[in-house]
Amino acid sequence: MNKNYSEKLFNPDTYDRDNLIQIQSKIASSISYEDEFKPLDTIGGSDCAFVDDLIICGIVVINYNTMDVIEKTHIIQKVTFPYIPTFLSFREGDAIASALFKLDNIPDLLMFDGCGINHPRKVGIASHVGAVLDIPTIGVTKKILCGNTQSGTPESVGVSKPLVYKGETIGYLYKSKKGTNPIIIAPGHRVSLESSLEIVKNCIKNHKLPEPTRLAHNHVNDVKKQLQYRSNNENINKWTGYKNSKHNETDGRW
């Protein structure tokens, strides 16, 4: 894992669109579409939530074979980047890196509640964070950001259909549970299309979403509820220990 990344890859000097696209293009050129990970023993899930001007990032690490939880952590930071569609990584990326560096058990692969290469410039948050930190990643979402299926939407549980954008397969729609819409699965970095689908399928148990991101979502929302309960700003400063978006300065434990 690359802990010596340029922070500008998450925290750009300016919010100028051309500058952001230039950074994304640089990252996109380094994304690997091959399986470059060891046999999975552990897998992590990442999700983020927001309260006022704070971002909460939670990561849950589980055993890949049993789905038992090994470790949970979270980080709370000031939000320093506005919400701009297709540039989510600049809003959430540093918090995710901060949370990942807190773990005692770094997962063999990290799964995101967000896009991978199924992004107009192939740099969804799973690809952006994966390439910058050089870790294997997969993105899972509930909505299509770009592309479409040329063979219809999967209607039966266990069926997948390719997601195609500009003539290229960038992921899959997968029917994970009866009575729900398909989820969208895409590789982020150092994972192939086929493996991203198989890994996510292995992580589907009794719910629509795979266990890593489902558990991360639950964890981050538990933290959010506690944060809202202690909504007085002075108290928040005392018990979160957050500082402005520098991963090596931020704690966030309680």
Side-chain angles (χ1 to χ4, degrees), residues 194-233:
E194 295 76 13
S195 291
S196 64
L197 176 61
E198 291 305 312
I199 289 169
V200 173
K201 286 169 66 175
N202 186 68
C203 293
I204 299 289
K205 296 308 175 186
N206 301 315
H207 305 275
K208 173 180 177 176
L209 297 176
E211 290 299 283
T213 55
R214 187 186 73 84
L215 293 172
H217 176 79
N218 290 346
H219 175 51
V220 82
N221 275 282
D222 286 343
V223 176
K224 180 178 180 178
K225 289 176 183 177
Q226 295 183 54
L227 185 60
Q228 289 173 321
Y229 181 75
R230 304 188 183 196
S231 59
N232 179 277
N233 288 332

Side-chain angles (χ1 to χ4, degrees), residues 70-223:
I70 296 171
E71 184 180 0
K72 297 180 183 180
T73 194
H74 69 274
I75 202 80
I76 301 171
Q77 296 182 173
K78 281 271 193 176
V79 177
T80 60
F81 191 86
Y83 174 75
I84 306 175
T86 75
F87 296 104
L88 183 66
S89 307
F90 298 109
R91 184 171 170 85
E92 300 183 1
D94 185 77
I96 293 168
S98 300
L100 190 65
F101 294 151
K102 285 178 61 178
L103 289 169
D104 294 322
N105 300 277
I106 301 298
D108 297 323
L109 183 148
L110 187 60
M111 191 178 293
F112 288 75
D113 177 18
C115 293
I117 65 169
N118 54 328
H119 177 279
R121 292 171 293 280
K122 295 188 176 180
V123 198
I125 193 161
S127 295
H128 191 136
V129 174
V132 171
L133 301 184
D134 195 25
I135 56 174
T137 58
I138 295 172
V140 180
T141 65
K142 297 183 282 293
K143 294 182 179 179
I144 295 175
L145 178 62
C146 65
N148 56 70
T149 59
Q150 300 178 337
S151 55
T153 301
E155 298 180 354
S156 301
V157 174
V159 174
S160 62
K161 296 290 182 69
L163 177 67
V164 179
Y165 182 63
K166 294 184 177 180
E168 181 181 358
T169 299
I170 56 172
Y172 295 96
L173 271 70
Y174 177 69
K175 184 77 168 181
S176 58
K177 186 178 181 181
K178 185 177 180 180
T180 66
N181 293 326
I183 57 175
I184 297 89
I185 301 165
H189 178 57
R190 291 174 52 182
V191 184
S192 68
L193 278 161
E194 295 76 13
S195 291
S196 64
L197 176 61
E198 291 305 312
I199 289 169
V200 173
K201 286 169 66 175
N202 186 68
C203 293
I204 299 289
K205 296 308 175 186
N206 301 315
H207 305 275
K208 173 180 177 176
L209 297 176
E211 290 299 283
T213 55
R214 187 186 73 84
L215 293 172
H217 176 79
N218 290 346
H219 175 51
V220 82
N221 275 282
D222 286 343
V223 176

Side-chain angles (χ1 to χ4, degrees), residues 44-57:
S46 172
D47 195 13
C48 295
F50 296 84
V51 176
D52 298 326
D53 64 343
L54 300 177
I55 179 174
I56 309 161
C57 176

